[in-house]
Amino acid sequence: MVKNDRVRFTRGWLVLLAAVLLMQTVYLSPWKSADSNVEAAAPIAEETQDLSAALATDGYSFEAEAEGNVLSGRAERKTCAEATGCSGAGVVGGLWDSSSVTMNGITVEEAGIYTMTVHYISGDPRSFAVSVNGGAGDHYDLPRTADWETLGTYAIEIELQAGSNTIRFDDEGGYSPDIDRIVLSESGTGEPGGPATGYEAEAAVNVRTGNAGVSGCQPATGCSGGLKVGNLWGGSTLQFRDIAAEEAGIYTLSVSYVSGDPRPVSIKVNEGQSENYALPKTADWDTLGVFTVEVELQAGMNTITFDDDGGWSPDIDKIELAKAGGSGEDPGPIDDIGLIGAVIGSAKHGSIKVSAHEKGAVFSTKSYSITYNTESGLSAYAWGGKTLVKGAYATAQLNEQLLDSRKYGEHRFKLSEVAKIKDGHGKGVRITVENRSEGLPTMKQTYQLYEDQPYFLVSQQIVSGTTVSASDIAPIVVNAKGGVDIGSYGDNRVLITPFDNDMWSRYQARTINTPLNNNNYVSSEMTAIYDNVSRGGLVIGSVTHDTWKTGIYWSGSNDRLNKLKVYGGFTSQTSTHDTLPHGQVSGKTITSPQIAVGYYSDYRSGLTSYGQANAAVAPPLKFDRGVPSGVPVGWNSWGAYESSLSYDKVVSVSNFFKANLQKTFSNKGTVYINMDSYWDNLTEQQLRDAVKVIRKNGQKAGIYYGPFVYWGDNMAQPVEGTDGKYTYGDIILRDANGNPLPKVDGAYAIDPTHPGSKLRVEYIFKKFIDYGFEYIKIDFLSHGSFEGQHYDPKAQTGIQAYNQGMAHINKVLGGRMFISASIAPLFPSQYAHARRISCDIDGSLGRTEYQLNNLTYGWWQNDTIYRYTDPDYMTLVKGGSYNAAQTRVNAAAISGTVFMSSDDVNDPNAQQLMNSLLTNKRVIDIATIGKAFQPVEGNTGSAAADVFVMKDKDEFYIAVFNYTNEAAVKSIDLTRALGVKLAAKLQLTDAWTGAKLEAKGTLEVSLEGAQSKLYKVSR
């Protein structure tokens, strides 16, 4: 359902300078920023430990947490959440109650005035005093950043002496921000990186399309020209023109924007590929934020286009561009992995062979091998005798201590400790390499190989004599140029998987040649690294989802990956919607997520295999107690009535279905009539009566609930079902300081582990059972996975809490209902019969394309981790044309599927469309097979494929789509599409008309605007 809408200067001459710069900002476009706004800077090196100046593209950078700096009072060095993007992964915080940090060794070549840009984090407005070389402190008031996990910048000018300087930040007895780093550049020149060039969104030279328009900013917002461009929705664009670059190359693009909720935007440079970015929310609709990406410009004039992709995008104030540096990739030590000496012992376990060598070991099956070098601690993975991954190792972050398997003194492998195993994956062996060093916890790297599986599993454990804590643990790390090389180079891609299906999230099949902005492309839980031409590729992903959120960071060039990190501990404000870092996992033994790694001749088979590997660990929810196991067919209220649902409307729908649709639009006679949000518009008696009417009409009744969200603001409101023992202030999720987490989607997150939230679920769900409901859509489940301070201390992470809450729901329902998870994480998956692969599909052609993007790369979830993949409802009248409405039905039919209508049955136009489009037996028969179609091509970036295929027993089906309103001809290579050699002509039957046609080799399909075709193929 759609979410409820509920540089300051102190000296006189510097003030004058600031005024002049302000006038430039307001009246000139493009303009030069005197402070070379550091948000436009490329990241500096990941490890900057010494006190010498680190050369950044925007100036000289000095880390606040560097060891030579002096901290006083409560000041402390703290780890920065990875998603925040701190330059050195640390900050100095605790600046309160007369505390300070003095940064030493601030060295410049010449005396003079320098612009100092402070990178800081502050969830509320705070101040500090800055003193240079023991001089008097100048007071500065810094604005709040979007939250306590978002960086901001603040620029001032200071006078430095030639040589070494000290800069002191003092809280003046109050509260100061957390400080990440400072960047110095010569005032007025911006050297050595050069000044940033700014361009106003509202400039007359720019071109706006669709709804986009210029509007005023509130004075407090601080838009640079007092104006912004907003209303980027529904197919609107903003194109910046005359973007000047003295030379071709990589530039840092900083976008100043306003967005009270998280919104995506696509950015295209010149006529290049459009790239979609998820911009985090700003504090509110009157607060600016800055989002930084890297772009490639040509010498001379350029255009930069912002596109809403048919959805909703932020308001844009301005952009700034500054020349960026190189990627700085480190090749890493990989040359000697295979030099492991002679065999000193071996053992066979079925088709698995384990060999011990003088300096390592080899573990192999009939399809792949793992070589482990016990001198370097590095490993390599090969398939068919060809090494595809080299230089793999493991890491774990224990508070401030980074453990790296390569740096241990001993890497111990014993042939006698290889253990036979038998589990959901089959028969195999478990092999462990122990990394030991004096004074360090033991790191165990574990490999599980199976006789009949194309993948192996890898994980790690940290074992200590005392309790340790970790929030980042990576069983696979590769940091070597060309370290991942799949051996074919036609059109190499990396799949980026979203954490959940909220906020119109999309999958991306991104070019592997992406060395820039890679923190924006972390894949959640799994990825595929493949060549779309040959289709061969690796599939890598987590198969355990009891503790960690898994992320996959990567960077590539020359059709290979140079960096890969598969780690537990991933959080992101835009992906997981977390505002806190991943929870610390504590204990004497800490276990990573278990990662499946496999190579497949067709990456699509690999995606299915990955789904099956997950199901081997946590099988999908089974059907119990008479719940029909077939594809659910019926109606959902949200698209038709939203908040105006009433008893009379429910009865009208039930009667209309019985009279007009039920004989054909059903699955073996089963039809659901489901009430979505605002079912509580009905009284308790009306709910009971509605269920009676629905049952009398030969249908089943469905209901809706959000178990982990609170839409109100009254923290004193008693929680239902607790007899006044708990209020909502008790059960909402809070941080370690007791502060409520910020609202997401307009709702507070509820702690799934709190006894009050569990009593609430029991009270509501038992009522639903008592009323006679047999289907439930549970929504906004991602809130239950947020990181926070949970009531149950055993729930150290959001995923642990989520598992506890979902298991409780299953226990309460006791198998009595069909469970469809709506907005929900992809994993864990064992708590629902179906999950929406995309949400908030309003019926428009653009939303249908978005839904099919999620099918293009998420189809494999069908009949592996979920019984069915839910494409959201079909609101036919919102398609805008008959073709678009029919295309919505086709999209739902091929999605493997929950086949739900959602129109107002009292609307004559809706009645006509429903009677026409929901009564075709051939189409309904395809939908009720319940198998998701898979894409023919996987090279669509963040868009949807336009051709899909499905094989059921010995029969094939093809679906072809036109996402534009213009006529189009689609040419389909049938051999590639069907995956079989064709010796004779094929006969294709149009599922809608029954018309037949023949084709051999190539199928040409002519489509009108917004039209699609669905064929059954006979050989």
Side-chain angles (χ1 to χ4, degrees):
M1 64 169 262
V2 176
K3 293 165 277 295
N4 292 21
D5 290 326
R6 318 244 177 205
V7 180
R8 179 184 168 202
F9 302 91
T10 57
R11 297 179 176 85
W13 70 272
L14 292 177
V15 172
L16 178 60
L17 174 61
V20 172
L21 293 174
L22 178 61
M23 296 294 288
Q24 288 179 322
T25 299
V26 173
Y27 293 109
L28 301 179
S29 178
W31 48 269
K32 291 285 183 180
S33 167
D35 59 280
S36 261
N37 189 334
V38 162
E39 283 295 342
I44 64 168
E46 293 179 1
E47 297 181 3
T48 308
Q49 302 298 335
D50 62 14
L51 295 180
S52 61
L55 180 58
T57 61
D58 47 359
Y60 286 91
S61 178
F62 300 83
E63 297 293 329
E65 71 273 20
E67 291 296 328
N69 296 341
V70 177
L71 281 59
S72 71
R74 300 179 183 273
E76 60 178 343
R77 295 174 174 87
K78 303 193 304 183
T79 300
C80 179
E82 184 171 355
T84 303
C86 294
S87 61
V91 296
V92 170
L95 289 166
W96 65 282
D97 193 25
S98 300
S99 303
S100 68
V101 54
T102 300
M103 300 181 67
N104 296 314
I106 308 299
T107 304
V108 295
E109 293 181 3
E110 299 178 2
I113 305 299
Y114 286 78
T115 298
M116 178 175 73
T117 303
V118 182
H119 290 234
Y120 71 98
I121 307 171
S122 189
D124 50 72
R126 293 190 174 186
S127 62
F128 54 44
V130 177
S131 59
V132 178
N133 295 325
D138 289 330
H139 175 92
Y140 298 95
D141 294 305
L142 280 67
R144 61 171 293 186
T145 53
D147 50 48
W148 280 102
E149 300 297 326
T150 303
L151 281 170
T153 59
Y154 190 77
I156 61 177
E157 292 196 335
I158 59 175
E159 188 171 359
L160 299 178
Q161 63 192 14
S164 183
N165 297 261
T166 63
I167 300 176
R168 174 185 170 95
F169 296 85
D170 194 297
D171 64 35
E172 299 178 297
Y175 286 81
S176 292
D178 294 352
I179 300 174
D180 171 27
R181 60 168 172 153
I182 63 171
V183 177
L184 295 170
S185 60
E186 292 182 42
S187 183
T189 67
E191 295 293 343
T197 305
Y199 299 85
E200 295 295 334
E202 68 273 12
V205 71
N206 296 341
V207 176
R208 302 180 299 275
T209 67
N211 301 305
V214 177
S215 61
C217 267
Q218 296 292 330
T221 303
C223 292
S224 61
L227 300 171
K228 61 182 180 180
V229 171
N231 284 327
L232 285 166
W233 65 275
S236 303
T237 65
L238 165 65
Q239 185 179 81
F240 286 81
R241 293 193 168 184
D242 295 344
I243 306 298
E246 292 185 4
E247 58 180 313
I250 304 300
Y251 287 75
T252 300
L253 169 69
S254 294
V255 183
S256 294
Y257 71 99
V258 182
S259 189
D261 52 69
R263 292 189 173 186
V265 67
S266 286
I267 300 174
K268 181 173 72 172
V269 178
N270 299 320
E271 295 304 315
Q273 181 178 350
S274 183
E275 304 290 350
N276 188 268
Y277 299 98
L279 276 63
K281 64 174 288 187
T282 52
D284 50 48
W285 280 103
D286 293 315
T287 302
L288 281 169
V290 177
F291 187 80
T292 302
V293 299
E294 290 179 298
V295 296
E296 187 169 1
L297 300 181
Q298 63 190 14
M301 292 301 177
N302 298 260
T303 62
I304 299 178
T305 304
F306 292 75
D307 193 321
D308 62 35
D309 282 337
W312 296 81
S313 291
D315 296 348
I316 309 296
D317 169 31
K318 65 176 180 178
I319 62 173
E320 290 185 325
L321 288 149
K323 194 76 168 66
S327 61
E329 292 166 353
D330 178 8
I334 61 171
D335 295 336
D336 300 332
I337 296 174
L339 304 180
I340 56 176
V343 175
I344 58 175
S346 65
K348 287 207 70 175
H349 304 272
S351 60
I352 302 169
K353 183 178 180 181
V354 182
S355 301
H357 292 247
E358 294 172 324
K359 300 177 182 179
V362 176
F363 327 130
S364 61
T365 69
K366 54 190 175 184
S367 58
Y368 64 82
S369 65
I370 302 167
T371 301
Y372 195 105
N373 188 303
T374 53
E375 286 200 335
S376 66
L378 293 173
S379 59
Y381 313 151
W383 279 263
K386 184 174 182 179
T387 298
L388 304 187
V389 179
K390 57 184 178 181
Y393 58 100
T395 64
Q397 187 74 46
L398 305 186
N399 294 323
E400 300 299 322
Q401 183 182 34
L402 177 66
L403 302 181
D404 183 328
S405 63
R406 299 171 300 173
K407 298 179 180 179
Y408 276 78
E410 179 188 9
H411 313 285
R412 187 172 67 88
F413 162 74
K414 286 188 176 182
L415 192 62
S416 60
E417 294 178 355
V418 175
K420 293 182 179 180
I421 57 175
K422 184 179 180 181
D423 55 26
H425 303 281
K427 293 181 180 180
V429 297
R430 180 183 295 114
I431 302 161
T432 301
V433 177
E434 288 193 3
N435 301 282
R436 296 176 176 270
S437 277
E438 185 70 28
L440 292 180
T442 298
M443 179 188 289
K444 295 182 178 181
Q445 294 173 271
T446 301
Y447 302 87
Q448 292 183 194
L449 286 68
Y450 295 91
E451 293 185 31
D452 299 315
Q453 295 294 359
Y455 55 81
F456 63 88
L457 306 178
V458 58
S459 61
Q460 71 187 116
Q461 281 188 330
I462 306 301
V463 181
S464 175
T466 59
T467 297
V468 293
S469 300
S471 60
D472 183 312
I473 185 165
I476 300 176
V477 182
V478 176
N479 188 18
K481 189 171 184 179
V484 179
D485 181 351
I486 61 173
S488 60
Y489 316 104
D491 181 10
N492 289 25
R493 301 272 171 167
V494 177
L495 179 61
I496 302 165
T497 305
F499 173 77
D500 67 4
N501 47 15
D502 197 8
M503 302 177 188
W504 298 285
S505 59
R506 287 176 179 258
Y507 290 76
Q508 287 191 62
R510 188 167 182 82
T511 174
I512 199 172
N513 300 317
T514 303
L516 306 177
N517 303 308
N518 295 83
N519 282 326
N520 294 317
Y521 308 125
V522 176
S523 188
S524 179
E525 303 299 337
M526 64 82 60
T527 189
I529 304 158
Y530 63 97
D531 175 6
N532 186 66
V533 175
S534 70
R535 291 190 175 137
L538 290 163
V539 175
I540 301 172
S542 54
V543 298
T544 53
H545 310 281
D546 48 2
T547 300
W548 299 96
K549 294 169 183 165
T550 300
I552 303 172
Y553 174 90
W554 59 278
S555 175
S557 62
N558 195 31
D559 292 324
R560 298 158 179 85
L561 290 188
N562 306 314
K563 293 179 184 290
L564 177 68
K565 179 183 177 182
V566 186
Y567 65 102
F570 170 55
T571 57
S572 160
Q573 195 171 356
T574 54
S575 181
T576 68
H577 318 298
D578 282 299
T579 56
L580 298 175
H582 197 283
Q584 292 266 351
V585 178
S586 299
K588 293 184 178 179
T589 299
I590 300 174
T591 303
S592 76
Q594 196 172 52
I595 308 302
V597 183
Y599 177 82
Y600 303 83
S601 59
D602 188 330
Y603 76 95
R604 298 174 303 172
S605 300
L607 293 175
T608 299
S609 176
Y610 171 71
Q612 292 167 343
N614 275 273
V617 177
L621 186 64
K622 63 182 180 180
F623 291 97
D624 278 331
R625 306 184 71 159
V627 174
S629 60
V631 168
V633 177
W635 178 88
N636 173 280
S637 68
W638 184 255
Y641 302 123
E642 296 188 1
S643 62
S644 66
L645 185 64
S646 69
Y647 171 79
D648 290 339
K649 290 175 179 175
V650 174
V651 171
S652 294
V653 170
S654 179
N655 291 335
F656 179 85
F657 265 70
K658 181 180 180 182
N660 297 277
L661 301 177
Q662 206 156 304
K663 290 182 179 179
T664 51
F665 190 63
S666 68
N667 190 352
K668 298 179 180 178
T670 299
V671 175
Y672 289 96
I673 305 297
N674 294 348
M675 289 175 257
D676 207 287
S677 187
Y678 293 97
W679 56 264
D680 51 353
N681 289 348
L682 283 68
T683 66
E684 183 171 337
Q685 187 58 50
Q686 286 177 325
L687 287 169
R688 292 183 182 275
D689 290 345
V691 172
K692 289 179 181 178
V693 170
I694 290 168
R695 286 186 166 181
K696 184 179 178 181
N697 283 334
Q699 304 149 355
K700 295 180 181 293
I703 197 67
Y704 168 98
Y705 199 64
F708 305 140
V709 287
Y710 174 50
W711 297 104
D713 293 294
N714 180 9
M715 295 300 153
Q717 178 182 335
V719 176
E720 302 92 323
T722 66
D723 295 325
K725 184 177 181 180
Y726 298 110
T727 67
Y728 275 94
D730 295 325
I731 70 171
I732 64 168
L733 189 59
R734 298 173 182 267
D735 63 21
N737 295 320
N739 301 310
L741 296 189
K743 289 183 177 181
V744 174
D745 294 335
Y748 287 106
I750 286 177
D751 179 358
T753 75
H754 196 286
S757 71
K758 292 181 179 180
L759 288 171
R760 175 178 179 250
V761 164
E762 292 168 14
Y763 173 78
I764 298 294
F765 283 32
K766 286 177 180 179
K767 274 195 169 188
F768 292 159
I769 293 169
D770 180 52
Y771 295 161
F773 289 104
E774 300 177 70
Y775 182 113
I776 188 165
K777 171 186 168 186
I778 44 178
D779 205 357
F780 296 102
L781 298 179
S782 295
H783 283 67
S785 71
F786 291 171
E787 304 302 321
Q789 195 73 26
H790 293 94
Y791 178 88
D792 183 352
K794 294 180 181 178
Q796 299 176 324
T797 71
I799 289 298
Q800 288 177 327
Y802 182 80
N803 274 285
Q804 188 177 138
M806 293 300 293
H808 180 67
I809 287 172
N810 279 182
K811 181 179 179 181
V812 172
L813 291 177
R816 296 178 180 88
M817 290 188 184
F818 185 99
I819 301 175
S820 179
S822 187
I823 293 175
L826 174 58
F827 293 108
S829 56
Q830 65 266 35
Y831 303 111
H833 299 105
R835 172 186 174 270
R836 289 201 168 165
I837 54 173
S838 53
C839 287
D840 300 329
I841 311 301
D842 62 8
S844 66
L845 184 63
R847 285 287 184 266
T848 295
E849 184 276 334
Y850 147 69
Q851 183 252 301
L852 290 175
N853 161 267
N854 284 267
L855 181 69
T856 301
Y857 300 106
W859 57 270
W860 53 269
Q861 301 159 36
N862 172 259
D863 204 31
T864 58
I865 59 175
Y866 295 98
R867 300 295 182 183
Y868 301 110
T869 36
D870 184 347
D872 211 340
Y873 49 74
M874 299 174 285
T875 305
L876 304 180
V877 293
K878 295 182 181 179
S881 67
Y882 183 88
N883 281 346
Q886 187 181 60
T887 289
R888 182 74 204 106
V889 176
N890 280 341
I894 71 169
S895 293
T897 189
V898 175
F899 208 43
M900 293 286 172
S901 168
S902 191
D903 277 292
D904 179 1
V905 300
N906 297 309
D907 178 348
N909 291 331
Q911 289 182 7
Q912 184 177 3
L913 288 170
M914 294 170 77
N915 282 318
S916 174
L917 297 175
L918 300 182
T919 56
N920 185 301
K921 186 177 183 304
R922 286 183 296 266
V923 174
I924 293 169
D925 285 347
I926 293 171
T928 53
I929 292 172
K931 292 183 70 172
F933 285 48
Q934 65 184 38
V936 173
E937 303 298 343
N939 60 347
T940 61
S942 58
D946 56 7
V947 182
F948 296 83
V949 298
M950 186 264 285
K951 183 181 181 183
D952 181 46
K953 299 175 183 176
D954 293 326
E955 295 180 314
F956 287 94
Y957 299 84
I958 297 177
V960 190
F961 292 85
N962 178 11
Y963 303 121
T964 75
N965 286 307
E966 305 296 327
V969 177
K970 306 290 183 178
S971 181
I972 303 163
D973 181 335
L974 290 172
T975 298
R976 180 168 172 83
L978 303 180
V980 295
K981 293 183 179 180
L982 302 174
K985 289 183 178 180
L986 299 176
Q987 186 178 79
L988 292 89
T989 303
D990 188 314
W992 286 97
T993 66
K996 299 183 185 299
L997 61 94
E998 290 186 340
K1000 181 182 179 182
T1002 301
L1003 173 65
E1004 299 282 345
V1005 181
S1006 296
L1007 298 172
E1008 299 171 3
Q1011 191 180 28
S1012 56
K1013 294 282 188 180
L1014 183 56
Y1015 296 106
K1016 181 177 180 180
V1017 182
S1018 301
R1019 287 195 283 178

